[in-house]
Amino acid sequence: MDGEPMPQNGSWGECQIGAEPCCSKKNGFLGAYKETMSFAFVAEATLGKLAKWLRIIGFDTIYAPKNLAKALMETNGKPRIYLTRTRRMTYMGKTPTCIFIVSDDPFEQLKEVINAVDMMPEDVKPFSRCIRCNISIRQVDKTSVRGLVPDYILETQHIFQTCTGCGRIYWPGTHTERSRKVIKTLFE
Ligand SMILES: [Zn+2]
């Protein structure tokens, strides 16, 4: 488990949800999950690129937490979905809701998550979250970023957002063409 010490109590359990076809639909577990909250994730250390992509498309995603048990409960007390490449895992003596990721390719991994949770295009909010901090970014007045972005950006752009965590300023030009293309093909 990537050096992350796992709680000792309880026995090891099989992941209940796999990225294999129809796993989530079989027991309806994630369907019920979806009705109660928007998706939030914890990605283990081997899944850094996947975590980044989940943030790009707007999902609250903790990456390689120091304390896994705590991270799994860090969505206003509601559980997160654990993304893992380790088939057998447990925490606090029970198996968390998890998706076993099969592919080595980040884009395919993202598709595995989308399929496993039955994610719909309307669930996705691209470029709404800071990729560094995992915090929702908020739109700010153009005048408030004067002096903080290059003049030609201020002259040509009209929508600015900032992250309250790191202070980074985002505008449509900061999203790469590649990101846009990837998002476009996710649900094809
Ligand atoms: Zn930030």
Side-chain angles (χ1 to χ4, degrees), residues 98-131:
C98 60
I99 297 170
F100 177 70
I101 302 296
V102 180
S103 177
D104 291 324
D105 176 74
F107 180 65
E108 291 303 319
Q109 291 172 347
L110 190 55
K111 281 194 154 179
E112 287 180 38
V113 175
I114 285 170
N115 290 334
V117 301
D118 270 344
M119 197 180 281
M120 298 292 153
E122 57 267 29
D123 295 325
V124 170
K125 294 183 183 66
F127 313 120
S128 61
R129 186 169 294 275
C130 181
I131 296 157

PDB file of all heavy atoms in Angstrom, residues 98-131:
ATOM      1  N   CYS A  98     -14.498   1.031  -3.133  1.00  0.00           N
ATOM      2  CA  CYS A  98     -13.303   1.269  -3.925  1.00  0.00           C
ATOM      3  C   CYS A  98     -13.461   0.794  -5.361  1.00  0.00           C
ATOM      4  O   CYS A  98     -14.328  -0.017  -5.673  1.00  0.00           O
ATOM      5  CB  CYS A  98     -12.083   0.635  -3.279  1.00  0.00           C
ATOM      6  SG  CYS A  98     -12.195  -1.128  -3.084  1.00  0.00           S
ATOM      7  N   ILE A  99     -12.662   1.365  -6.201  1.00  0.00           N
ATOM      8  CA  ILE A  99     -12.621   0.973  -7.610  1.00  0.00           C
ATOM      9  C   ILE A  99     -11.223   0.460  -7.884  1.00  0.00           C
ATOM     10  O   ILE A  99     -10.241   1.166  -7.632  1.00  0.00           O
ATOM     11  CB  ILE A  99     -12.955   2.166  -8.527  1.00  0.00           C
ATOM     12  CG1 ILE A  99     -14.388   2.639  -8.258  1.00  0.00           C
ATOM     13  CG2 ILE A  99     -12.785   1.773  -9.994  1.00  0.00           C
ATOM     14  CD1 ILE A  99     -14.724   3.953  -8.951  1.00  0.00           C
ATOM     15  N   PHE A 100     -11.150  -0.750  -8.342  1.00  0.00           N
ATOM     16  CA  PHE A 100      -9.863  -1.327  -8.685  1.00  0.00           C
ATOM     17  C   PHE A 100      -9.504  -0.925 -10.106  1.00  0.00           C
ATOM     18  O   PHE A 100     -10.214  -1.257 -11.057  1.00  0.00           O
ATOM     19  CB  PHE A 100      -9.922  -2.849  -8.553  1.00  0.00           C
ATOM     20  CG  PHE A 100      -8.640  -3.513  -8.973  1.00  0.00           C
ATOM     21  CD1 PHE A 100      -7.494  -3.376  -8.209  1.00  0.00           C
ATOM     22  CD2 PHE A 100      -8.580  -4.254 -10.143  1.00  0.00           C
ATOM     23  CE1 PHE A 100      -6.305  -3.966  -8.603  1.00  0.00           C
ATOM     24  CE2 PHE A 100      -7.399  -4.855 -10.544  1.00  0.00           C
ATOM     25  CZ  PHE A 100      -6.262  -4.709  -9.775  1.00  0.00           C
ATOM     26  N   ILE A 101      -8.412  -0.176 -10.248  1.00  0.00           N
ATOM     27  CA  ILE A 101      -7.995   0.344 -11.554  1.00  0.00           C
ATOM     28  C   ILE A 101      -7.085  -0.669 -12.240  1.00  0.00           C
ATOM     29  O   ILE A 101      -6.100  -1.125 -11.657  1.00  0.00           O
ATOM     30  CB  ILE A 101      -7.271   1.695 -11.385  1.00  0.00           C
ATOM     31  CG1 ILE A 101      -8.173   2.718 -10.682  1.00  0.00           C
ATOM     32  CG2 ILE A 101      -6.766   2.218 -12.723  1.00  0.00           C
ATOM     33  CD1 ILE A 101      -9.428   3.105 -11.446  1.00  0.00           C
ATOM     34  N   VAL A 102      -7.422  -0.986 -13.478  1.00  0.00           N
ATOM     35  CA  VAL A 102      -6.702  -2.036 -14.204  1.00  0.00           C
ATOM     36  C   VAL A 102      -5.642  -1.462 -15.151  1.00  0.00           C
ATOM     37  O   VAL A 102      -4.508  -1.916 -15.179  1.00  0.00           O
ATOM     38  CB  VAL A 102      -7.699  -2.903 -15.016  1.00  0.00           C
ATOM     39  CG1 VAL A 102      -6.956  -3.981 -15.777  1.00  0.00           C
ATOM     40  CG2 VAL A 102      -8.752  -3.506 -14.082  1.00  0.00           C
ATOM     41  N   SER A 103      -5.993  -0.428 -15.904  1.00  0.00           N
ATOM     42  CA  SER A 103      -5.116   0.075 -16.970  1.00  0.00           C
ATOM     43  C   SER A 103      -3.902   0.840 -16.422  1.00  0.00           C
ATOM     44  O   SER A 103      -3.930   1.372 -15.320  1.00  0.00           O
ATOM     45  CB  SER A 103      -5.918   1.001 -17.892  1.00  0.00           C
ATOM     46  OG  SER A 103      -5.074   1.544 -18.880  1.00  0.00           O
ATOM     47  N   ASP A 104      -2.842   0.892 -17.239  1.00  0.00           N
ATOM     48  CA  ASP A 104      -1.668   1.694 -16.913  1.00  0.00           C
ATOM     49  C   ASP A 104      -1.781   3.106 -17.487  1.00  0.00           C
ATOM     50  O   ASP A 104      -1.007   3.991 -17.146  1.00  0.00           O
ATOM     51  CB  ASP A 104      -0.398   1.059 -17.500  1.00  0.00           C
ATOM     52  CG  ASP A 104      -0.047  -0.239 -16.788  1.00  0.00           C
ATOM     53  OD1 ASP A 104      -0.260  -0.308 -15.563  1.00  0.00           O
ATOM     54  OD2 ASP A 104       0.409  -1.179 -17.470  1.00  0.00           O
ATOM     55  N   ASP A 105      -2.721   3.300 -18.401  1.00  0.00           N
ATOM     56  CA  ASP A 105      -2.845   4.568 -19.111  1.00  0.00           C
ATOM     57  C   ASP A 105      -3.824   5.500 -18.379  1.00  0.00           C
ATOM     58  O   ASP A 105      -4.968   5.119 -18.114  1.00  0.00           O
ATOM     59  CB  ASP A 105      -3.358   4.280 -20.529  1.00  0.00           C
ATOM     60  CG  ASP A 105      -3.602   5.553 -21.296  1.00  0.00           C
ATOM     61  OD1 ASP A 105      -2.623   6.181 -21.703  1.00  0.00           O
ATOM     62  OD2 ASP A 105      -4.779   5.948 -21.454  1.00  0.00           O
ATOM     63  N   PRO A 106      -3.372   6.738 -18.034  1.00  0.00           N
ATOM     64  CA  PRO A 106      -4.229   7.642 -17.252  1.00  0.00           C
ATOM     65  C   PRO A 106      -5.601   7.909 -17.884  1.00  0.00           C
ATOM     66  O   PRO A 106      -6.607   7.985 -17.182  1.00  0.00           O
ATOM     67  CB  PRO A 106      -3.416   8.930 -17.180  1.00  0.00           C
ATOM     68  CG  PRO A 106      -2.015   8.513 -17.390  1.00  0.00           C
ATOM     69  CD  PRO A 106      -2.058   7.317 -18.293  1.00  0.00           C
ATOM     70  N   PHE A 107      -5.635   8.052 -19.191  1.00  0.00           N
ATOM     71  CA  PHE A 107      -6.906   8.316 -19.858  1.00  0.00           C
ATOM     72  C   PHE A 107      -7.838   7.107 -19.738  1.00  0.00           C
ATOM     73  O   PHE A 107      -9.036   7.239 -19.474  1.00  0.00           O
ATOM     74  CB  PHE A 107      -6.660   8.666 -21.329  1.00  0.00           C
ATOM     75  CG  PHE A 107      -7.926   8.950 -22.095  1.00  0.00           C
ATOM     76  CD1 PHE A 107      -8.723  10.035 -21.778  1.00  0.00           C
ATOM     77  CD2 PHE A 107      -8.314   8.123 -23.136  1.00  0.00           C
ATOM     78  CE1 PHE A 107      -9.895  10.292 -22.477  1.00  0.00           C
ATOM     79  CE2 PHE A 107      -9.475   8.369 -23.845  1.00  0.00           C
ATOM     80  CZ  PHE A 107     -10.267   9.463 -23.524  1.00  0.00           C
ATOM     81  N   GLU A 108      -7.279   5.916 -19.919  1.00  0.00           N
ATOM     82  CA  GLU A 108      -8.086   4.697 -19.765  1.00  0.00           C
ATOM     83  C   GLU A 108      -8.524   4.527 -18.305  1.00  0.00           C
ATOM     84  O   GLU A 108      -9.629   4.071 -18.031  1.00  0.00           O
ATOM     85  CB  GLU A 108      -7.290   3.467 -20.227  1.00  0.00           C
ATOM     86  CG  GLU A 108      -7.044   3.409 -21.727  1.00  0.00           C
ATOM     87  CD  GLU A 108      -8.342   3.445 -22.544  1.00  0.00           C
ATOM     88  OE1 GLU A 108      -9.311   2.788 -22.132  1.00  0.00           O
ATOM     89  OE2 GLU A 108      -8.386   4.158 -23.570  1.00  0.00           O
ATOM     90  N   GLN A 109      -7.640   4.911 -17.386  1.00  0.00           N
ATOM     91  CA  GLN A 109      -7.989   4.840 -15.963  1.00  0.00           C
ATOM     92  C   GLN A 109      -9.188   5.737 -15.660  1.00  0.00           C
ATOM     93  O   GLN A 109     -10.104   5.363 -14.932  1.00  0.00           O
ATOM     94  CB  GLN A 109      -6.797   5.273 -15.101  1.00  0.00           C
ATOM     95  CG  GLN A 109      -5.643   4.286 -15.130  1.00  0.00           C
ATOM     96  CD  GLN A 109      -4.413   4.828 -14.429  1.00  0.00           C
ATOM     97  OE1 GLN A 109      -4.311   6.011 -14.123  1.00  0.00           O
ATOM     98  NE2 GLN A 109      -3.454   3.951 -14.165  1.00  0.00           N
ATOM     99  N   LEU A 110      -9.155   6.935 -16.261  1.00  0.00           N
ATOM    100  CA  LEU A 110     -10.256   7.880 -16.068  1.00  0.00           C
ATOM    101  C   LEU A 110     -11.554   7.286 -16.607  1.00  0.00           C
ATOM    102  O   LEU A 110     -12.617   7.393 -15.985  1.00  0.00           O
ATOM    103  CB  LEU A 110      -9.915   9.192 -16.776  1.00  0.00           C
ATOM    104  CG  LEU A 110     -10.803  10.402 -16.537  1.00  0.00           C
ATOM    105  CD1 LEU A 110     -10.928  10.716 -15.050  1.00  0.00           C
ATOM    106  CD2 LEU A 110     -10.260  11.609 -17.279  1.00  0.00           C
ATOM    107  N   LYS A 111     -11.456   6.632 -17.737  1.00  0.00           N
ATOM    108  CA  LYS A 111     -12.641   5.990 -18.309  1.00  0.00           C
ATOM    109  C   LYS A 111     -13.140   4.851 -17.419  1.00  0.00           C
ATOM    110  O   LYS A 111     -14.343   4.611 -17.309  1.00  0.00           O
ATOM    111  CB  LYS A 111     -12.340   5.474 -19.717  1.00  0.00           C
ATOM    112  CG  LYS A 111     -12.364   6.572 -20.759  1.00  0.00           C
ATOM    113  CD  LYS A 111     -12.397   5.990 -22.149  1.00  0.00           C
ATOM    114  CE  LYS A 111     -13.044   6.966 -23.116  1.00  0.00           C
ATOM    115  NZ  LYS A 111     -13.075   6.449 -24.476  1.00  0.00           N
ATOM    116  N   GLU A 112     -12.211   4.141 -16.790  1.00  0.00           N
ATOM    117  CA  GLU A 112     -12.608   3.073 -15.863  1.00  0.00           C
ATOM    118  C   GLU A 112     -13.435   3.638 -14.711  1.00  0.00           C
ATOM    119  O   GLU A 112     -14.450   3.064 -14.325  1.00  0.00           O
ATOM    120  CB  GLU A 112     -11.371   2.358 -15.304  1.00  0.00           C
ATOM    121  CG  GLU A 112     -10.672   1.454 -16.298  1.00  0.00           C
ATOM    122  CD  GLU A 112      -9.457   0.770 -15.681  1.00  0.00           C
ATOM    123  OE1 GLU A 112      -9.528   0.391 -14.503  1.00  0.00           O
ATOM    124  OE2 GLU A 112      -8.439   0.628 -16.383  1.00  0.00           O
ATOM    125  N   VAL A 113     -12.991   4.773 -14.181  1.00  0.00           N
ATOM    126  CA  VAL A 113     -13.729   5.405 -13.079  1.00  0.00           C
ATOM    127  C   VAL A 113     -15.116   5.834 -13.561  1.00  0.00           C
ATOM    128  O   VAL A 113     -16.128   5.568 -12.911  1.00  0.00           O
ATOM    129  CB  VAL A 113     -12.955   6.623 -12.514  1.00  0.00           C
ATOM    130  CG1 VAL A 113     -13.779   7.353 -11.460  1.00  0.00           C
ATOM    131  CG2 VAL A 113     -11.626   6.175 -11.914  1.00  0.00           C
ATOM    132  N   ILE A 114     -15.145   6.484 -14.724  1.00  0.00           N
ATOM    133  CA  ILE A 114     -16.412   6.972 -15.275  1.00  0.00           C
ATOM    134  C   ILE A 114     -17.399   5.821 -15.467  1.00  0.00           C
ATOM    135  O   ILE A 114     -18.573   5.917 -15.098  1.00  0.00           O
ATOM    136  CB  ILE A 114     -16.148   7.722 -16.604  1.00  0.00           C
ATOM    137  CG1 ILE A 114     -15.541   9.091 -16.290  1.00  0.00           C
ATOM    138  CG2 ILE A 114     -17.418   7.876 -17.425  1.00  0.00           C
ATOM    139  CD1 ILE A 114     -15.006   9.825 -17.497  1.00  0.00           C
ATOM    140  N   ASN A 115     -16.900   4.704 -15.993  1.00  0.00           N
ATOM    141  CA  ASN A 115     -17.781   3.551 -16.211  1.00  0.00           C
ATOM    142  C   ASN A 115     -18.226   2.919 -14.897  1.00  0.00           C
ATOM    143  O   ASN A 115     -19.384   2.543 -14.737  1.00  0.00           O
ATOM    144  CB  ASN A 115     -17.071   2.495 -17.068  1.00  0.00           C
ATOM    145  CG  ASN A 115     -16.911   2.966 -18.496  1.00  0.00           C
ATOM    146  OD1 ASN A 115     -17.685   3.792 -18.976  1.00  0.00           O
ATOM    147  ND2 ASN A 115     -15.897   2.458 -19.184  1.00  0.00           N
ATOM    148  N   ALA A 116     -17.288   2.817 -13.944  1.00  0.00           N
ATOM    149  CA  ALA A 116     -17.592   2.135 -12.683  1.00  0.00           C
ATOM    150  C   ALA A 116     -18.669   2.868 -11.892  1.00  0.00           C
ATOM    151  O   ALA A 116     -19.482   2.242 -11.217  1.00  0.00           O
ATOM    152  CB  ALA A 116     -16.323   1.982 -11.849  1.00  0.00           C
ATOM    153  N   VAL A 117     -18.680   4.185 -11.957  1.00  0.00           N
ATOM    154  CA  VAL A 117     -19.665   4.940 -11.169  1.00  0.00           C
ATOM    155  C   VAL A 117     -20.840   5.433 -12.019  1.00  0.00           C
ATOM    156  O   VAL A 117     -21.684   6.177 -11.523  1.00  0.00           O
ATOM    157  CB  VAL A 117     -19.025   6.142 -10.426  1.00  0.00           C
ATOM    158  CG1 VAL A 117     -17.928   5.661  -9.488  1.00  0.00           C
ATOM    159  CG2 VAL A 117     -18.488   7.179 -11.391  1.00  0.00           C
ATOM    160  N   ASP A 118     -20.876   5.000 -13.291  1.00  0.00           N
ATOM    161  CA  ASP A 118     -21.954   5.454 -14.172  1.00  0.00           C
ATOM    162  C   ASP A 118     -22.008   6.972 -14.272  1.00  0.00           C
ATOM    163  O   ASP A 118     -23.073   7.572 -14.217  1.00  0.00           O
ATOM    164  CB  ASP A 118     -23.313   4.954 -13.660  1.00  0.00           C
ATOM    165  CG  ASP A 118     -23.652   3.607 -14.262  1.00  0.00           C
ATOM    166  OD1 ASP A 118     -23.011   3.228 -15.254  1.00  0.00           O
ATOM    167  OD2 ASP A 118     -24.554   2.942 -13.722  1.00  0.00           O
ATOM    168  N   MET A 119     -20.858   7.580 -14.379  1.00  0.00           N
ATOM    169  CA  MET A 119     -20.792   9.034 -14.442  1.00  0.00           C
ATOM    170  C   MET A 119     -21.409   9.541 -15.744  1.00  0.00           C
ATOM    171  O   MET A 119     -21.244   8.925 -16.790  1.00  0.00           O
ATOM    172  CB  MET A 119     -19.330   9.474 -14.345  1.00  0.00           C
ATOM    173  CG  MET A 119     -19.136  10.924 -13.986  1.00  0.00           C
ATOM    174  SD  MET A 119     -17.371  11.292 -13.910  1.00  0.00           S
ATOM    175  CE  MET A 119     -16.949  10.641 -12.298  1.00  0.00           C
ATOM    176  N   MET A 120     -22.135  10.639 -15.662  1.00  0.00           N
ATOM    177  CA  MET A 120     -22.775  11.237 -16.833  1.00  0.00           C
ATOM    178  C   MET A 120     -22.073  12.562 -17.181  1.00  0.00           C
ATOM    179  O   MET A 120     -21.463  13.182 -16.308  1.00  0.00           O
ATOM    180  CB  MET A 120     -24.255  11.543 -16.527  1.00  0.00           C
ATOM    181  CG  MET A 120     -25.074  10.319 -16.215  1.00  0.00           C
ATOM    182  SD  MET A 120     -25.238   9.305 -17.707  1.00  0.00           S
ATOM    183  CE  MET A 120     -25.458   7.692 -16.981  1.00  0.00           C
ATOM    184  N   PRO A 121     -22.201  13.005 -18.438  1.00  0.00           N
ATOM    185  CA  PRO A 121     -21.548  14.269 -18.811  1.00  0.00           C
ATOM    186  C   PRO A 121     -21.930  15.422 -17.885  1.00  0.00           C
ATOM    187  O   PRO A 121     -21.115  16.292 -17.596  1.00  0.00           O
ATOM    188  CB  PRO A 121     -22.052  14.510 -20.237  1.00  0.00           C
ATOM    189  CG  PRO A 121     -22.362  13.152 -20.758  1.00  0.00           C
ATOM    190  CD  PRO A 121     -22.854  12.359 -19.578  1.00  0.00           C
ATOM    191  N   GLU A 122     -23.178  15.412 -17.377  1.00  0.00           N
ATOM    192  CA  GLU A 122     -23.609  16.525 -16.511  1.00  0.00           C
ATOM    193  C   GLU A 122     -22.978  16.483 -15.120  1.00  0.00           C
ATOM    194  O   GLU A 122     -23.068  17.436 -14.350  1.00  0.00           O
ATOM    195  CB  GLU A 122     -25.143  16.586 -16.402  1.00  0.00           C
ATOM    196  CG  GLU A 122     -25.801  15.323 -15.895  1.00  0.00           C
ATOM    197  CD  GLU A 122     -26.235  14.402 -17.040  1.00  0.00           C
ATOM    198  OE1 GLU A 122     -25.587  14.435 -18.115  1.00  0.00           O
ATOM    199  OE2 GLU A 122     -27.211  13.662 -16.837  1.00  0.00           O
ATOM    200  N   ASP A 123     -22.352  15.339 -14.771  1.00  0.00           N
ATOM    201  CA  ASP A 123     -21.663  15.258 -13.475  1.00  0.00           C
ATOM    202  C   ASP A 123     -20.313  15.980 -13.502  1.00  0.00           C
ATOM    203  O   ASP A 123     -19.729  16.267 -12.457  1.00  0.00           O
ATOM    204  CB  ASP A 123     -21.393  13.792 -13.096  1.00  0.00           C
ATOM    205  CG  ASP A 123     -22.676  13.006 -12.872  1.00  0.00           C
ATOM    206  OD1 ASP A 123     -23.637  13.614 -12.352  1.00  0.00           O
ATOM    207  OD2 ASP A 123     -22.714  11.815 -13.214  1.00  0.00           O
ATOM    208  N   VAL A 124     -19.827  16.214 -14.706  1.00  0.00           N
ATOM    209  CA  VAL A 124     -18.468  16.741 -14.876  1.00  0.00           C
ATOM    210  C   VAL A 124     -18.476  18.273 -14.938  1.00  0.00           C
ATOM    211  O   VAL A 124     -19.310  18.856 -15.625  1.00  0.00           O
ATOM    212  CB  VAL A 124     -17.871  16.153 -16.183  1.00  0.00           C
ATOM    213  CG1 VAL A 124     -16.579  16.831 -16.541  1.00  0.00           C
ATOM    214  CG2 VAL A 124     -17.678  14.653 -16.039  1.00  0.00           C
ATOM    215  N   LYS A 125     -17.592  18.894 -14.171  1.00  0.00           N
ATOM    216  CA  LYS A 125     -17.475  20.356 -14.215  1.00  0.00           C
ATOM    217  C   LYS A 125     -16.012  20.726 -14.498  1.00  0.00           C
ATOM    218  O   LYS A 125     -15.247  21.056 -13.586  1.00  0.00           O
ATOM    219  CB  LYS A 125     -17.916  20.964 -12.888  1.00  0.00           C
ATOM    220  CG  LYS A 125     -19.405  20.757 -12.616  1.00  0.00           C
ATOM    221  CD  LYS A 125     -19.833  21.436 -11.321  1.00  0.00           C
ATOM    222  CE  LYS A 125     -21.288  21.153 -11.019  1.00  0.00           C
ATOM    223  NZ  LYS A 125     -21.534  19.708 -10.736  1.00  0.00           N
ATOM    224  N   PRO A 126     -15.627  20.658 -15.790  1.00  0.00           N
ATOM    225  CA  PRO A 126     -14.221  20.885 -16.148  1.00  0.00           C
ATOM    226  C   PRO A 126     -13.719  22.256 -15.697  1.00  0.00           C
ATOM    227  O   PRO A 126     -14.462  23.232 -15.721  1.00  0.00           O
ATOM    228  CB  PRO A 126     -14.225  20.795 -17.666  1.00  0.00           C
ATOM    229  CG  PRO A 126     -15.463  20.058 -18.018  1.00  0.00           C
ATOM    230  CD  PRO A 126     -16.457  20.408 -16.969  1.00  0.00           C
ATOM    231  N   PHE A 127     -12.479  22.288 -15.278  1.00  0.00           N
ATOM    232  CA  PHE A 127     -11.784  23.526 -14.923  1.00  0.00           C
ATOM    233  C   PHE A 127     -12.496  24.322 -13.815  1.00  0.00           C
ATOM    234  O   PHE A 127     -12.578  25.534 -13.865  1.00  0.00           O
ATOM    235  CB  PHE A 127     -11.596  24.400 -16.168  1.00  0.00           C
ATOM    236  CG  PHE A 127     -11.081  23.652 -17.359  1.00  0.00           C
ATOM    237  CD1 PHE A 127     -11.811  23.584 -18.539  1.00  0.00           C
ATOM    238  CD2 PHE A 127      -9.872  22.990 -17.288  1.00  0.00           C
ATOM    239  CE1 PHE A 127     -11.333  22.886 -19.635  1.00  0.00           C
ATOM    240  CE2 PHE A 127      -9.382  22.294 -18.382  1.00  0.00           C
ATOM    241  CZ  PHE A 127     -10.128  22.236 -19.557  1.00  0.00           C
ATOM    242  N   SER A 128     -13.047  23.611 -12.852  1.00  0.00           N
ATOM    243  CA  SER A 128     -13.721  24.292 -11.741  1.00  0.00           C
ATOM    244  C   SER A 128     -12.949  24.124 -10.429  1.00  0.00           C
ATOM    245  O   SER A 128     -13.385  24.578  -9.387  1.00  0.00           O
ATOM    246  CB  SER A 128     -15.144  23.737 -11.571  1.00  0.00           C
ATOM    247  OG  SER A 128     -15.103  22.354 -11.266  1.00  0.00           O
ATOM    248  N   ARG A 129     -11.803  23.448 -10.497  1.00  0.00           N
ATOM    249  CA  ARG A 129     -11.071  23.110  -9.276  1.00  0.00           C
ATOM    250  C   ARG A 129      -9.575  23.356  -9.505  1.00  0.00           C
ATOM    251  O   ARG A 129      -9.066  23.134 -10.601  1.00  0.00           O
ATOM    252  CB  ARG A 129     -11.321  21.613  -8.988  1.00  0.00           C
ATOM    253  CG  ARG A 129     -10.753  21.088  -7.677  1.00  0.00           C
ATOM    254  CD  ARG A 129     -11.308  19.691  -7.410  1.00  0.00           C
ATOM    255  NE  ARG A 129     -12.751  19.734  -7.173  1.00  0.00           N
ATOM    256  CZ  ARG A 129     -13.304  19.976  -5.994  1.00  0.00           C
ATOM    257  NH1 ARG A 129     -12.564  20.167  -4.946  1.00  0.00           N
ATOM    258  NH2 ARG A 129     -14.616  20.012  -5.879  1.00  0.00           N
ATOM    259  N   CYS A 130      -8.886  23.815  -8.476  1.00  0.00           N
ATOM    260  CA  CYS A 130      -7.447  24.016  -8.606  1.00  0.00           C
ATOM    261  C   CYS A 130      -6.758  22.649  -8.689  1.00  0.00           C
ATOM    262  O   CYS A 130      -6.974  21.786  -7.829  1.00  0.00           O
ATOM    263  CB  CYS A 130      -6.903  24.813  -7.427  1.00  0.00           C
ATOM    264  SG  CYS A 130      -5.128  25.118  -7.558  1.00  0.00           S
ATOM    265  N   ILE A 131      -5.940  22.482  -9.708  1.00  0.00           N
ATOM    266  CA  ILE A 131      -5.276  21.193  -9.915  1.00  0.00           C
ATOM    267  C   ILE A 131      -4.227  20.935  -8.838  1.00  0.00           C
ATOM    268  O   ILE A 131      -3.996  19.813  -8.438  1.00  0.00           O
ATOM    269  CB  ILE A 131      -4.656  21.154 -11.327  1.00  0.00           C
ATOM    270  CG1 ILE A 131      -5.776  21.229 -12.362  1.00  0.00           C
ATOM    271  CG2 ILE A 131      -3.823  19.897 -11.540  1.00  0.00           C
ATOM    272  CD1 ILE A 131      -5.332  21.744 -13.699  1.00  0.00           C
TER     273      ILE A 131
END
